[in-house]
Amino acid sequence: MKSHIDKKTEQLLSAYIDNEATPEERRIVEEQIQHNPAWKRELLRMRRVQGIVAAKEPVGQSQYFWTKLSARIEDEQLHPKESFFPFQRKWLPVTLGAGIAALLIIIFTLVYQKESIVQYVDTQTSQIRDWYEQNMLSGKVSTLASMLSNDDVFNFAMTGSLPVDKANGKMLQFGDQPSHGHFVEAENATPQQAKMTTAALIKRLGLDRSQSIAIDSLLQTYRSRLENSMLVSQEADSQFMAINADVWAMNKVLMVDIAKTLSRPQRKNFAGMLVSANAPVKLNLEALDSPMTDTVIINFGKKGPSRQFVIITPDTLFVKNVTKQFSDSFAVRCEQVNNEVRRHYELLAKHSPERAADIIENLKRHQAFRDKVFNKRVDSSLRQYYADSRGLDGKMKKLDGEYQDFNAAVQQAERMLKSLPDSMTLRIEINRQLGVMPDRMTVVMNNIVMTQPLSAPHPSGNARMLKPHPVDSGMIWHIQMPDSIRMVMMPRQRGVVLAGDQSVQIGSFMKDGYRKAAEIKSIRSRQDLEKRLRQLEKELQEMRKQMEKLEEP
Amino acid sequence: MTESPGETRGTQAKAARGENDAKIDERLIRDFLDGKSDAFMHLVQRHQERVRNLIYSILGYTQIVDDLAQDVFIKVYQSLPNFRYQSSFATWLYRVTVNRCRDEIRRSKVRRMFRLESLQERDHPVESESTDRTERILVNEALNAALRQLSESHRTIVLLKEVEGLRYEEIAEVLQCGVGTVKSRLARARVRLKQLLQPYVEEEV
């Protein structure tokens, strides 16, 4: 018989008081507590602890919990948080582990699946494909961005190959075949595949400083675009890699874009470099100066990435238009602006050699700014606001002015409404000349014609009263009465004396009130605008703070 | 000390009530998914105090109870269309609540702002209370202090059992761990509480 209470006993007793002990355990406990005082005491202590915790005082009731919650739900529905990525921000830190794991499976599939991708696709069932279509892009997606350097992009321009898992030497080779169209192959990087670097290009072609900067800027631009063109899933149950259809054209356009920054002799050398590097594409030197080439490059930069993605999964491969991401994103718009700015600088440098130094300086500043905004992985919404901030300032001022006007109008209208009577008593005086005293009176309220009985004659004998009526600011009163009858309208204590033939004035008085009330209503319905303004103010402040932090060295 | 017939009846009645509650929840969820706008309101009203209390008990302070409870219900609102009844709604709700609390505790630690309700935050001064009430407040404060000294996992498990009255199996579902783990953690947490609340425990024993 145990008198000592050990951990096992405690666990047994704990389960016993919760009615979670097995029949055998119950039997043991019940036998022990009958004969062993230590067990009995321990059981009592546990029950006491149980009682104390169960009697824990609850938190005070919350008033308006549902009201506040429903407002938040409505707010979140009306203004869903915008995000650059089609997944929650908390996943933003690129968890490459999961991404790479998914990628390796895909690469494994591709490397060992030597048959043509087209045939491979044909062997898959549409069911699997549908499953992926429904489930992918709803999950967590990361880009391959952080793995690429400018040299990787340069190499991609020259050879069409892109490292996707540097640690394990995995590459993706993009290309075209007349028989099969576009293809992508996963392969192991071999030591023979010496990487082409921008340093080698600069050295071999003897590029000057401005040319080096221009090429760096180009690579940077295309790198950003590549970032958003290759996505991998982080979901364990929905592994895929999505490649933007542009990637197959991007290396060629980039190669031509680089060539355009070179002088004629340099271009020739560059073409030689491509041949010796076994580049899959040859450079057509004659076509380089054609306006058509310029158009292609500019259009490629301007149009933004395609919505078409090639989706590669361990089971299948298909093409899908992905509409919910990237194409409208700020990054893409920045890309376009960046391209245009760069071209603008290049054009200036070409036509104003004397200003070349300034232009290069500008270009550098532009690049520095861009690096600051893009490479520090600034929150995407911040980028958005930074870009909009110039416009936002103006917008804010305008909204502010509008808001002041509203405020003034609200105050004026509210003053006006306060001066309106709560109820109105009409006193009809006898027209002494005619000796007429009507006992009924027609009142038109909001186009509804009502015949109102007048009260008994006033003790003075010369007046009757129209019983008090609540005055709704939304009503228009129009009193119809013979011209000759004199009427006194007494809103609250304030009497407004009107002659019969001035009855229109009552209408217009009320009408004015009605107009003001309507104005107030419309202003109140524009509280959304005020809300938005406050939101903007808050966001702008937040954004400025963050930008200040960024600006710090 | 076997379970008395009264206790058995109580347990059965509780189980029946739980079943009935689950059916009501299920109906409200269906109504909500069918677009009946007030169904979600009823669902919230049925569970809001339970969620708020659990948050308060786990965190130990009141300031953000409503905010977190709202977060929980917004999460529920967004996720209900995907709710598959693999567990009861209440169990799922507890899970969402516990996860949100854990998230908050993690964030608070990061912000180094983790603070618990201080005695100054009491609504009523002890002096003005009746003896009974004073006693209750003192025990409650001692309990709050003791709970604060437990680890988050022990605290949560004790609260789910003693305050919310969940079965081991349900607790395991909420915390996504095994029943054995629940059993051992709960016993450890009780032993620790017993030590921390010794004066109040011994008093009666």
Side-chain angles (χ1 to χ4, degrees), chain A residues 195-321:
Chain A
K195 198 167 158 181
M196 305 186 76
T197 61
T198 43
L201 179 83
I202 292 165
K203 196 174 168 189
R204 182 153 169 193
L205 302 185
L207 303 185
D208 63 26
R209 199 155 162 265
S210 65
Q211 282 176 316
S212 308
I213 290 172
I215 288 174
D216 256 0
S217 157
L218 267 177
L219 295 174
Q220 186 75 15
T221 307
Y222 279 80
R223 197 188 75 156
S224 300
R225 190 149 169 183
L226 269 174
E227 277 180 8
N228 294 333
S229 297
M230 302 184 60
L231 314 168
V232 283
S233 149
Q234 294 178 22
E235 297 273 31
D237 57 352
S238 145
Q239 293 158 349
F240 70 88
M241 180 161 68
I243 303 173
N244 193 295
D246 281 348
V247 174
W248 280 269
M250 209 182 291
N251 65 327
K252 287 163 236 163
V253 180
L254 173 56
M255 187 179 70
V256 174
D257 220 351
I258 291 171
K260 292 282 285 179
T261 62
L262 307 174
S263 66
R264 276 167 191 274
Q266 285 170 337
R267 284 178 189 177
K268 210 170 168 186
N269 266 341
F270 184 51
M273 265 180 88
L274 285 170
V275 173
S276 56
N278 250 343
V281 185
K282 281 181 186 168
L283 193 62
N284 184 345
L285 291 172
E286 285 163 20
L288 272 182
D289 286 326
S290 141
M292 189 60 87
T293 310
D294 280 336
T295 313
V296 169
I297 295 174
I298 290 168
N299 283 348
F300 191 81
K302 262 189 179 176
K303 82 175 168 71
S306 158
R307 285 171 186 265
Q308 212 173 48
F309 275 77
V310 177
I311 317 286
I312 304 166
T313 76
D315 313 302
T316 184
L317 179 151
F318 57 96
V319 175
K320 182 175 169 58
N321 268 350

Side-chain angles (χ1 to χ4, degrees), chain A residues 475-493:
Chain A
M475 286 181 180
I476 300 173
W477 283 43
H478 184 81
I479 315 291
Q480 289 182 334
M481 57 198 300
D483 280 358
S484 51
I485 292 179
R486 186 176 160 76
M487 185 182 71
V488 181
M489 185 176 76
M490 300 186 301
R492 287 191 192 149
Q493 271 28 347

Side-chain angles (χ1 to χ4, degrees), chain A residues 330-344:
Chain A
F330 170 69
V332 172
R333 282 194 283 129
C334 270
E335 221 60 78
Q336 293 161 6
V337 174
N338 195 49
N339 276 343
E340 282 179 33
V341 171
R342 184 171 55 76
R343 292 200 179 282
H344 175 70

